[in-house]
Amino acid sequence: MLDDRAKLLLKTLVERYIAEGQPVGSRTLSRAPGLDLSPATIRNVMSDLEGLGLITSPHTSAGRIPTARGYRLFVDTMLTAQREHMNAPSHLPPDQPQKVIANAANLLSNLSQFVGVVMAPRRASVFKQIEFLRLSDRRLLVIIVSPDGDVQNRVIFPEADYTQSQLVEASNYINAHYAGLTIEQVRDRLQSEVEKLRGEIAALMQAAVKVSSEVLTEAQEDDVVISGERNLLSVTDFSSDMGQLRRAFELFEQKAQLMRLLDVSSKAEGVRIFIGGESQVVPFEELSIVSANYEVDGQVVGTLGVIGPTRMPYERMIQIVDITSRLVSNALSHRK
C-alpha cells in the first residue's frame, strides 16, 4: 500500500511523462509544484516505486517512466474529474445506423487525435429458415435465411451420411419449432431437448447452430468502423519505432481481434480503460484503449472507443468517449 507521499510522486511522474514524453528524473520532480521533497528523498521513493513494478528505467536514461501497472494505479485511483471544453457537436444527426457510426468514429478520431473505433449495433442472431441440401456423401450445404431476407450458405461435413428425405424432414422440424429464436435461445433449448430429438435431427440442429454462429461472427467483423489510423504516424511513441507502428496497424486489420476486445468492454458499465501489457485483452504493450457502450432506447447495442499510445491523456480520452457514446445513443434512439 502506497503512502500519500508515494502516491503524489507517482501521480506527478505519470502526468509529467504523459505531457512531455520524456523519462522523468528526480531533479525534474524536485521542481514540480506541490512536491516539497529533496532530490535524495525522491530518489528513495522512486526506488520503492520501481521495486513495486510501478515505474521502470529505460536503458538510455536515468529517468523513470510508468509501467502498465503504474498506469493502472494512476487511472484507477489518481485521475481527477476535470471537465474541459471540447469542440464537440451538441448532437449527431439521426440517420441510418451506418452513417451515425461512421460519423462517431470520425468524431472520436478528430477529438482525440488518435484512432476512433466503433462497433456497429449488434444484429439479432435470428434465423427465419434453415435448409439442408445433400451435395455428396457426408457433404451438405446449409442455407440460412435471415428475417430480412439475407441468405448465407455454408458447406459442412457431418460424421454421418443423410438422405435428402432425412434432410428435408430435419429442416421442416427445425423451421417449425425454432424459427424466429435467436441462436443463443436455440442453443439453450437444444441442450435441454437434445435427448428427446431423433439422432439425425439433433446432429443437424447442432451443425446449424454452429454454422449460424460463424455466419453471425463474420458479419459482425464487417461492422467495426475504424477512423484515424494515420494519426498514429504523428505519435512520437510509434513514429520512432516502425515495429510498434506495424503491430498497431496489424491490429486494425484483424477486426476479429478488435471485436473480441470491444466485446469484453461491452460487459461493463461506464467508461472502461484497457492498458496494453497488463493482460491479454490488449495484445500490445504500446497501446491503450478507452471504451464505453452506447444504447438504443435504453438497451446496450454496441461499443465505441479510442485507441492510442499508453502515454495518452486519459482524463481527456474518458471525456471524449463518454460524450461520443451519449451522442450516438441519442442519434440512434431518435432516428425516425
Side-chain angles (χ1 to χ4, degrees):
M1 187 69 179
L2 298 182
D3 59 25
D4 291 341
R5 182 177 64 179
K7 288 179 181 178
L8 180 58
L9 192 147
L10 177 63
K11 181 176 185 291
T12 304
L13 184 149
V14 174
E15 290 174 339
R16 181 62 63 91
Y17 180 66
I18 287 175
E20 300 178 359
Q22 298 296 324
V24 183
S26 57
R27 187 175 298 276
T28 299
L29 288 170
S30 68
R31 296 193 294 266
L35 267 185
D36 189 18
L37 301 173
S38 68
T41 300
I42 290 174
R43 282 194 294 271
N44 289 335
V45 176
M46 289 176 71
S47 178
D48 293 338
L49 293 175
E50 190 166 10
L52 293 170
L54 299 172
I55 61 176
T56 187
S57 176
H59 297 302
T60 58
S61 171
R64 303 294 191 276
I65 65 174
T67 62
R69 188 175 178 184
Y71 277 122
R72 172 53 60 193
L73 185 62
F74 170 77
V75 163
D76 288 348
T77 65
M78 301 176 189
L79 283 182
T80 53
Q82 296 179 345
R83 306 294 289 185
E84 60 178 280
H85 174 73
M86 293 189 183
N87 189 25
S90 60
H91 71 283
L92 290 174
D95 208 323
Q96 294 298 316
Q98 279 302 121
K99 185 76 173 292
V100 173
I101 295 310
N103 289 340
N106 290 332
L107 179 62
L108 287 165
S109 173
N110 292 335
L111 290 177
S112 69
Q113 290 301 297
F114 297 133
V115 181
V117 57
V118 184
M119 183 172 71
R122 297 183 185 89
R123 300 176 184 178
S125 52
V126 178
F127 72 88
K128 177 183 178 182
Q129 186 176 350
I130 288 181
E131 304 293 340
F132 300 99
L133 181 64
R134 188 176 189 275
L135 299 177
S136 61
D137 291 351
R138 297 185 182 179
R139 184 166 171 263
L140 306 179
L141 180 68
V142 183
I143 305 168
I144 305 167
V145 183
S146 69
D148 59 6
D150 183 46
V151 179
Q152 295 284 343
N153 301 321
R154 288 293 185 278
V155 176
I156 64 172
F157 302 89
E159 294 182 3
D161 194 18
Y162 300 102
T163 66
Q164 187 58 43
S165 61
Q166 287 176 312
L167 297 178
V168 170
E169 182 183 359
S171 297
N172 291 340
Y173 183 90
I174 292 169
N175 294 330
H177 292 84
Y178 296 90
L181 299 178
T182 66
I183 298 303
E184 291 76 16
Q185 289 171 325
V186 173
R187 185 183 290 115
D188 291 342
R189 276 187 52 179
L190 188 58
Q191 289 177 346
S192 61
E193 297 176 3
V194 66
E195 293 182 0
K196 304 175 187 176
L197 299 175
R198 289 225 314 270
E200 66 270 16
I201 292 179
L204 290 170
M205 275 291 300
Q206 290 169 331
V209 168
K210 182 175 184 296
V211 169
S212 299
S213 298
E214 292 171 355
V215 167
L216 181 68
T217 299
E218 291 172 11
Q220 287 182 334
E221 286 176 22
D222 295 332
D223 290 344
V224 179
V225 180
I226 303 171
S227 177
E229 299 99 310
R230 293 182 63 84
N231 286 339
L232 295 186
L233 296 174
S234 60
V235 176
T236 306
D237 307 57
F238 295 109
S239 60
S240 60
D241 188 332
M242 291 305 296
Q244 291 185 9
L245 192 62
R246 189 178 300 111
R247 287 193 294 274
F249 275 82
E250 286 173 353
L251 174 63
F252 304 140
E253 292 176 359
Q254 298 167 2
K255 290 190 175 181
Q257 195 167 21
L258 268 181
M259 281 291 298
R260 287 193 294 272
L261 194 153
L262 292 174
D263 188 54
V264 168
S265 62
S266 72
K267 293 176 172 58
E269 296 182 0
V271 177
R272 292 287 306 277
I273 298 174
F274 298 94
I275 298 170
E278 66 174 357
S279 71
Q280 295 301 311
V281 176
V282 184
F284 307 121
E285 291 186 6
E286 305 85 8
L287 291 177
S288 283
I289 298 175
V290 181
S291 67
N293 297 329
Y294 63 88
E295 303 176 347
V296 173
D297 298 325
Q299 295 294 318
V300 172
V301 297
T303 310
L304 53 77
V306 167
I307 302 177
T310 51
R311 189 180 66 83
M312 67 163 67
Y314 288 97
E315 291 169 77
R316 179 176 172 81
M317 296 304 112
I318 290 170
Q319 190 175 344
I320 289 170
V321 169
D322 183 53
I323 288 173
T324 307
S325 70
R326 296 174 192 272
L327 293 175
V328 173
S329 297
N330 289 335
L332 294 177
S333 296
H334 297 153
R335 184 172 63 90
K336 302 300 183 184

